[in-house]
Amino acid sequence: MKICCIGAGYVGGPTMAMIAKQCPEISVHVVDLNQSRIDAWNSDELPVYEPGLYEVVREARGRNLTFSTNVDQAIAEADMIFIAVNTPTKHFGMGAGRAANLEFIEKCARQIAKVSEGHKIVVEKSTLPVRTAEAVKRILSSSSNGATFDVLSNPEFLAEGTAIEDLLDPDRVLIGGESQAAVKALADVYGQWVAREKILTTNLWSSELSKLTANAFLAQRVSSINAISALCEETEADIDEVSRAIGTDSRIGPKFLKASVGFGGSCFQKDILNLVYLCEHFGLREVADYWEQVVIMNDYQKRRFAERICRTMFNTVSDKKIAIWGFAFKKDTNDTRESAAIYVCRDLLRERARLVIYDPKVSKETIVSELLTALSDLSGTISETDRELVQSNVTVVNDAYDAANNAHAIAVLTEWDEFRELDYERIYDTMQKPAFVYDGRNILDRQKLTKIGFEIFAIGKSN
Ligand code: NAI
């Protein structure tokens, strides 16, 4: 059997590497238009940082796992084609700022229709608005070579940072489809290492909608606990104690109840906005408003964090040095898309703070590019003043101690484990006084830091 996957990103790369590792008899070809991404997949410096990913890729690459830009050839040779391209929020025209941009999906479907012969199974791996498969089927049916297709929906539930664990032992694999033979063919692939009772099958539309719903529910939990964190800061209730107290209720459960500076990542916001757009499209105004509030609360949480920094530093951060620890949207990934750090840094830069940023896995180029984008207007244009601001007020360093040296404050924006184990006496000695710490992830030992002399502010804790 031959599998092709279009899109060698955070989903396509790790998922296909796992299939290739677990199914040595299946040949897996991952293709992308982006040559440098493919080159990186073929090197020792993978484009995606995930614990354990390198070992999986190294085992299968060159055996039954190939990365290339030969899109047409890979499609033509495959029995099963996964589409794992990006589906970002549309930022132009109808539905701008809400709807998913399906341009890349449609281009893939057209390319598959153009170069395919015989019968193929096409698998939607990307997260898509419910009923996208209808459009995909119509485009595929226009194939001029007489090719025939079955379309399946098989959304991906991995979480970045734990992608390999999640792929190896998923809570469930979801397959939606009309043809039982096609569903079985895909279930047989996963069945090589996933228990059969964990492979759920549904109709196409339930499968498409379940992915949007899962992300909406997860993000809603974060926004719910973050909303309560604001109230804790005013009332001397402690958000970690509240989380523990409510999480022991088996109907609520303890997971995903950690208050923070706000959720990030390429999916939560985009998928909720997509859900909001769909509800609006179907005239479900109240449902749209309900889900939109999750994103509004998240924006509030990020803004509130930056405002708290300014307010507690005597209402001005202008020309003050602030160490930013962590820029990725969560630990154990190099992904910065929609990271809360971007928006906190943007707000601090607008107040003319000087930022010294450290993240163990994110490059200077990525940090600067994210900040320039965040400061630009809706058409993507950045003013000369803002460009100069980034140039003069942003420094990226390779070490947390370096970042804190001579700083007025430290802001912890990603929960990297290494931040828990630093020598805080040493850090305190090198900082300006009063030495402020803003723990946006509630990972630091407040008592210990207070004893050293720090003024520490954490999420959902009153001072
Ligand atoms: P990504 O942006 O990392 O990767 C997508 C890749 O597709 C890019 O490398 C791009 O060059 C390539 N591409 C786009 N159009 C192409 C075409 N016509 N031919 C060949 N290559 C093409 O995106 P990511 O994060 O992997 O997400 C992919 C999909 O999976 C999205 O729909 C996303 O919502 C979904 N998803 C993402 C998760 C994540 O944690 N990142 C988790 C679950 C689902």
Side-chain angles (χ1 to χ4, degrees):
M1 184 185 194
K2 287 191 171 183
I3 286 179
C4 150
C5 174
I6 310 179
Y10 283 85
V11 165
T15 310
M16 291 304 123
M18 184 57 72
I19 291 180
K21 175 183 150 55
Q22 301 293 359
C23 313
E25 73 293 351
I26 299 179
S27 151
V28 181
H29 192 165
V30 189
V31 288
D32 203 293
L33 298 172
N34 182 333
Q35 182 69 55
S36 62
R37 219 167 205 191
I38 289 298
D39 291 345
W41 280 111
N42 283 319
S43 77
D44 287 341
E45 292 284 326
L46 302 184
V48 168
Y49 173 72
E50 276 292 337
L53 174 63
Y54 180 69
E55 288 71 20
V56 174
V57 170
R58 201 176 46 185
E59 184 182 330
R61 200 170 55 189
R63 181 188 68 190
N64 62 328
L65 176 65
T66 318
F67 295 93
S68 87
T69 52
N70 302 327
V71 180
D72 288 359
Q73 185 195 341
I75 294 173
E77 289 174 358
D79 306 298
M80 188 181 277
I81 302 158
F82 286 78
I83 304 180
V85 298
N86 38 330
T87 48
T89 304
K90 211 175 158 201
H91 57 81
F92 53 86
M94 271 190 308
R98 274 169 147 69
N101 181 352
L102 297 178
E103 173 187 344
F104 308 112
I105 293 288
E106 185 167 336
K107 281 186 178 144
C108 286
R110 288 184 189 279
Q111 201 65 15
I112 294 169
K114 190 170 148 204
V115 300
S116 293
E117 286 176 7
H119 184 75
K120 295 190 193 289
I121 298 173
V122 174
V123 184
E124 295 175 344
K125 181 52 100 178
S126 299
T127 302
L128 298 169
V130 54
R131 296 211 74 88
T132 303
E134 198 165 76
V136 170
K137 279 193 287 186
R138 281 202 53 197
I139 293 168
L140 291 174
S141 68
S142 70
S143 172
S144 52
N145 308 329
T148 54
F149 302 93
D150 283 313
V151 176
L152 300 178
S153 159
N154 170 225
E156 184 49 61
F157 292 100
L158 67 78
E160 287 181 30
T162 53
I164 295 302
E165 270 170 55
D166 297 345
L167 288 166
L168 203 53
D169 186 20
D171 288 343
R172 74 332 209 157
V173 166
L174 179 58
I175 304 174
E178 282 154 353
S179 148
Q180 287 315 305
V183 170
K184 182 177 178 309
L186 182 55
D188 285 347
V189 173
Y190 288 109
Q192 303 262 349
W193 79 96
V194 178
R196 284 287 164 168
E197 61 273 17
K198 283 189 173 180
I199 302 177
L200 310 184
T201 56
T202 63
N203 76 31
L204 267 172
W205 323 118
S206 306
S207 174
E208 287 180 334
L209 185 56
S210 294
K211 175 64 194 177
L212 288 186
T213 308
N215 275 354
F217 270 59
L218 290 169
Q220 180 202 43
R221 255 174 102 86
V222 179
S223 277
S224 296
I225 203 70
N226 282 344
I228 300 299
S229 78
L231 188 55
C232 284
E233 287 164 30
E234 301 296 331
T235 57
E236 290 184 31
D238 177 310
I239 195 64
D240 288 330
E241 292 182 354
V242 174
S243 292
R244 189 152 45 92
I246 65 166
T248 47
D249 185 324
S250 59
R251 292 166 303 177
I252 296 175
K255 292 186 181 167
F256 243 64
L257 279 184
K258 182 90 181 148
S260 72
V261 57
F263 62 73
S266 64
C267 294
F268 282 1
Q269 176 169 311
K270 143 179 106 66
D271 293 347
I272 292 183
L273 292 174
N274 185 344
L275 192 62
V276 169
Y277 184 72
L278 274 166
C279 294
E280 283 170 348
H281 172 81
F282 290 108
L284 305 170
R285 187 66 256 171
E286 286 78 1
V287 187
D289 288 348
Y290 175 76
W291 286 110
E292 189 167 18
Q293 202 58 36
V294 173
V295 175
I296 292 172
M297 183 54 62
N298 196 49
D299 287 339
Y300 167 69
Q301 187 75 349
K302 293 182 276 190
R303 198 169 61 241
R304 206 167 71 75
F305 189 77
E307 282 170 4
R308 197 176 184 203
I309 295 180
C310 294
R311 197 177 63 246
T312 50
M313 289 178 79
F314 318 113
N315 290 311
T316 176
V317 289
S318 174
D319 205 33
K320 287 181 182 162
K321 179 174 164 182
I322 302 182
I324 303 292
W325 285 359
F327 202 83
F329 85 93
K330 66 194 284 199
K331 75 170 181 177
D332 291 337
T333 178
N334 59 344
D335 196 348
T336 57
R337 289 177 291 181
E338 291 301 329
S339 177
I342 300 171
Y343 300 98
V344 172
C345 289
R346 179 198 62 190
D347 291 354
L348 293 174
L349 280 172
R350 284 185 174 151
E351 291 295 326
R352 300 294 181 264
R354 287 185 288 122
L355 306 182
V356 185
I357 306 176
Y358 164 68
D359 186 287
K361 292 290 172 197
V362 181
S363 69
K364 179 178 177 183
E365 292 68 37
T366 304
I367 292 173
V368 169
S369 141
E370 289 281 21
L371 291 177
L372 288 173
T373 308
L375 285 162
S376 42
D377 64 19
L378 283 179
S379 69
T381 314
I382 176 137
S383 71
E384 217 27 63
T385 324
D386 282 342
R387 192 180 291 281
E388 279 166 19
L389 183 66
V390 172
Q391 227 159 42
S392 61
N393 285 31
V394 175
T395 312
V396 179
V397 294
N398 293 323
D399 178 64
Y401 292 106
D402 250 11
N405 188 24
N406 208 26
H408 293 78
I410 296 168
V412 180
L413 299 183
T414 311
E415 71 281 22
W416 288 103
D417 289 337
E418 64 176 69
F419 298 150
R420 297 171 192 266
E421 288 143 21
L422 299 170
D423 179 349
Y424 280 93
E425 308 259 3
R426 174 181 157 194
I427 290 168
Y428 182 75
D429 288 344
T430 67
M431 284 180 67
Q432 305 263 356
K433 308 297 176 318
F436 293 99
V437 173
Y438 298 91
D439 185 356
R441 300 288 179 163
N442 289 3
I443 56 167
L444 302 182
D445 184 337
R446 267 161 66 85
Q447 264 188 342
K448 188 177 119 190
L449 265 66
T450 308
K451 220 166 140 200
I452 293 173
F454 286 102
E455 290 215 21
I456 177 158
F457 295 84
I459 303 281
K461 319 257 175 180
S462 42
N463 280 72

